[in-house]
Amino acid sequence: MKRQEILHKYQATQKVTDFLDTSSLTNANTHYANINKSKDVWWLNIAPRKFEQDLHILLVKTNGFIWLRIKANSIRNPLQVFRMRTDKGMFDLEISSNIYDRYLRDIKSGGTRYDFRRHIEHEWDA
């Protein structure tokens, strides 16, 4: 795996904001993840209530990042789709970053292999 470029959340958020020409992304509705160092995944913990409003996910790649937008209530019953961490009350997502194997699918054990590709709004390459 190539070394991942360091791109901070505020930098990625600013790129999306510039692209949209509006500031619809906030800390409250935006999640951000780098590729895990020991496994080819983006790992996120997201509160169930976040799916009731537009949710933005910024996934940093080796060179660039992907902006996912999950529209409010577009996943009808997230409890049936994602694995819940009962100790934190959050959905525990492991989204595959491996372009050759289940790319952009939730591969967390106990999940349904949800495919996030349908939520790609834009992708930036460095």
Side-chain angles (χ1 to χ4, degrees):
M1 180 189 324
K2 290 170 71 176
R3 185 179 180 282
Q4 185 175 5
E5 296 295 318
I6 296 175
L7 180 71
H8 299 281
K9 181 178 182 179
Y10 72 90
Q11 293 170 308
T13 301
Q14 188 60 50
K15 281 192 179 224
V16 174
T17 298
D18 291 347
F19 178 76
L20 292 173
D21 201 25
T22 182
S23 57
S24 58
L25 274 71
T26 66
N27 268 342
N29 71 5
T30 305
H31 286 264
Y32 165 92
N34 287 299
I35 297 172
N36 187 290
K37 289 183 171 125
S38 61
K39 189 175 180 182
D40 286 340
V41 297
W42 291 286
W43 184 28
L44 300 141
N45 288 163
I46 300 177
R49 63 181 163 68
K50 299 283 185 161
F51 289 90
E52 297 169 4
Q53 57 192 332
D54 281 1
L55 172 63
H56 303 275
I57 300 175
L58 306 174
L59 304 174
V60 179
K61 306 183 304 177
T62 303
N63 293 306
F65 71 99
I66 302 167
W67 166 38
L68 304 175
R69 181 174 62 179
I70 302 172
K71 294 182 180 173
N73 299 307
S74 64
I75 300 175
R76 296 198 191 277
N77 191 347
L79 282 168
Q80 291 181 340
V81 177
F82 304 118
R83 180 180 177 269
M84 176 65 78
R85 274 190 72 157
T86 54
D87 62 333
K88 291 188 174 189
M90 311 264 269
F91 292 123
D92 192 19
L93 306 178
E94 281 188 16
I95 302 172
S96 176
S97 63
N98 185 331
I99 61 171
Y100 303 108
D101 187 26
R102 299 174 291 184
Y103 187 61
L104 288 175
R105 288 187 180 267
D106 180 21
I107 60 170
K108 186 70 178 181
S109 177
T112 60
R113 308 264 190 256
Y114 187 81
D115 189 349
F116 285 91
R117 289 179 292 184
R118 70 189 78 173
H119 301 291
I120 295 173
E121 284 291 321
H122 197 74
E123 193 165 345
W124 282 267
D125 292 320

